[in-house]
Amino acid sequence: MATDHYQDIRTRINLNFFATPVFITTHTITASFASVVSRLQQGFHATRENKQLKKENYILKAQLNQLQSLQAENTRLRQLLKAKPWKNYVFKVAEVLSISSYPFADELVINQGKKQGVILGQPVVDDKGVIGQVSRRQENTSTVLLLGDVRLQIPVQVNRSGARGILTAGDNTNVLNLQYVTNTSDIVENDLIMTSGLGGHFPAGLPVGRVIHVEKNVGDAFISVNVMPLASLNSHKEVLLLSKPDKQDKTA
Amino acid sequence: MKQITVLYYTKLIASVFVALALSIWPVSGLLLALKPHFVALVVIYWALWTPARFGLLAAFFIGLWADITTQTLLGQHALAFILLTFLTQKVHQRLRLFPLLQQTGVVLVFLGFYQLTFIWVQGMLGELNHTSLSWLGVLFTALLWPLTSLFAPKIKSLIN
């Protein structure tokens, strides 16, 4: 996986001492700039935004109620089936300190690190879907490998039919390739792609993307499938770190 | 003399620091591809105007610093900066006298080599992502070169 990619990881952790002041400088300036901008915007749009948010909150609450009843029903049904109950995953908000500094890598640096209990290989999501995975940890920061990076590949599944495949980066930042989908698999455009939970790093059932193009070639063993990620991979200020409540940091 | 040396290295480190801070500035999408390689510009600047003091070793250490900060493979920037410094020092006397446009052209060629070492290393690691757009970043970096002439010493003062 992505985690054991760099041989020089230990050296890098010691040397990070030199990088920290640069990070802090950039983050302080961008953060204060952003806060000034948002304060100005708040002055202009506060009332309108408030009204809109209230409306949205109302709808969300209603949806949440529905969801809770559905969850209860789901648990009951799963118990009936003697299946394992869904684990409640814990979300933790992390702020994005910097986006990969040059176009070869799709990475984020976030403000949660070893001290905050980040685990190597921890899934990172946003409100829409999977973004990537923690690939390196420092004391107070960690690096997240995004889906658009060739180094990250995750096992996924078509929500409708259950066809499995491996999601990898495509030629373009915003289009991913679904590989190793056999020619007989049931997959069509607009299918929802979820994590399959195989491999153990990602829990099953996290939304990842939507199929935008399917090309079947007679004679090829696999179908070529293009997937558009649900999360916008390159416009984040905050991301969510996903962790299991029962499993503590074993790698520390 | 010692004071001047201290002043020189302070300026050098400060300029690299600013360039690094700019180069990890969070931008996204197309802007990321267009983002200039600020540190490379700084390296060319020092190699061009102070070739006696700014050598391959300095370029190497600045490269390491850049590698740590931008989280690339250790030594990747170092290699690229050494190449940049070598090329610049090789022609620095001519390059100084070139008109600004021609100077920019030469810098563009140097940055092309710089980018090639990057693509080479990334290709060997199997991490090559989106290369075609990244050449635009090189072009933008070269277009920023004329700005460094604001800080360049007068030719006359160098002759005397």
Side-chain angles (χ1 to χ4, degrees), chain B residues 98-110:
Chain B
F98 280 169
L100 208 53
L101 196 66
Q102 202 176 346
Q103 227 176 45
T104 310
V106 176
V107 166
L108 178 63
V109 173
F110 287 177

Side-chain angles (χ1 to χ4, degrees), chain A residues 35-71:
Chain A
S35 81
V36 168
V37 169
S38 74
R39 207 166 290 174
L40 282 175
Q41 278 179 340
Q42 267 169 19
F44 284 124
H45 308 297
T47 31
R48 194 166 16 131
E49 201 179 310
N50 194 12
K51 212 183 252 175
Q52 205 177 355
L53 284 176
K54 261 184 191 159
K55 212 196 250 170
E56 205 177 298
N57 194 21
Y58 187 66
I59 296 170
L60 284 175
K61 262 185 189 161
Q63 281 174 345
L64 185 71
N65 280 337
Q66 209 176 1
L67 215 91
Q68 272 164 346
S69 70
L70 278 176
Q71 201 177 20

Side-chain angles (χ1 to χ4, degrees), chain A residues 196-216:
Chain A
S196 67
L198 301 174
H201 276 295
F202 284 88
L206 288 176
V208 183
R210 248 175 219 293
V211 175
I212 51 168
H213 182 69
V214 178
E215 198 179 313
K216 286 191 189 189

Side-chain angles (χ1 to χ4, degrees), chain B residues 8-85:
Chain B
Y8 174 77
Y9 283 106
T10 318
K11 272 189 198 166
L12 176 62
I13 290 169
S15 63
V16 174
F17 188 94
V18 172
L20 274 177
L22 282 175
S23 67
I24 60 166
W25 204 269
V27 290
S28 60
L30 190 64
L31 272 181
L32 180 62
L34 300 181
K35 192 178 200 176
H37 303 260
F38 295 104
V39 192
L41 271 188
V42 168
V43 167
I44 298 178
Y45 172 86
W46 289 113
L48 176 64
W49 295 111
T50 59
R53 283 184 172 178
F54 189 88
L56 300 184
L57 204 63
F60 177 75
F61 283 115
I62 288 175
L64 283 191
W65 195 13
D67 282 323
I68 297 158
T69 316
T70 57
Q71 313 249 319
T72 45
L73 187 75
L74 213 56
Q76 190 177 321
H77 276 93
L79 177 70
F81 289 163
I82 284 177
L83 182 76
L84 270 187
T85 311

Side-chain angles (χ1 to χ4, degrees), chain A residues 183-222:
Chain A
N183 225 339
T184 50
S185 299
D186 180 10
I187 183 166
V188 290
E189 273 174 34
N190 220 17
D191 268 350
L192 184 65
I193 302 289
M194 305 273 231
T195 51
S196 67
L198 301 174
H201 276 295
F202 284 88
L206 288 176
V208 183
R210 248 175 219 293
V211 175
I212 51 168
H213 182 69
V214 178
E215 198 179 313
K216 286 191 189 189
N217 288 325
V218 182
D220 282 356
F222 301 113

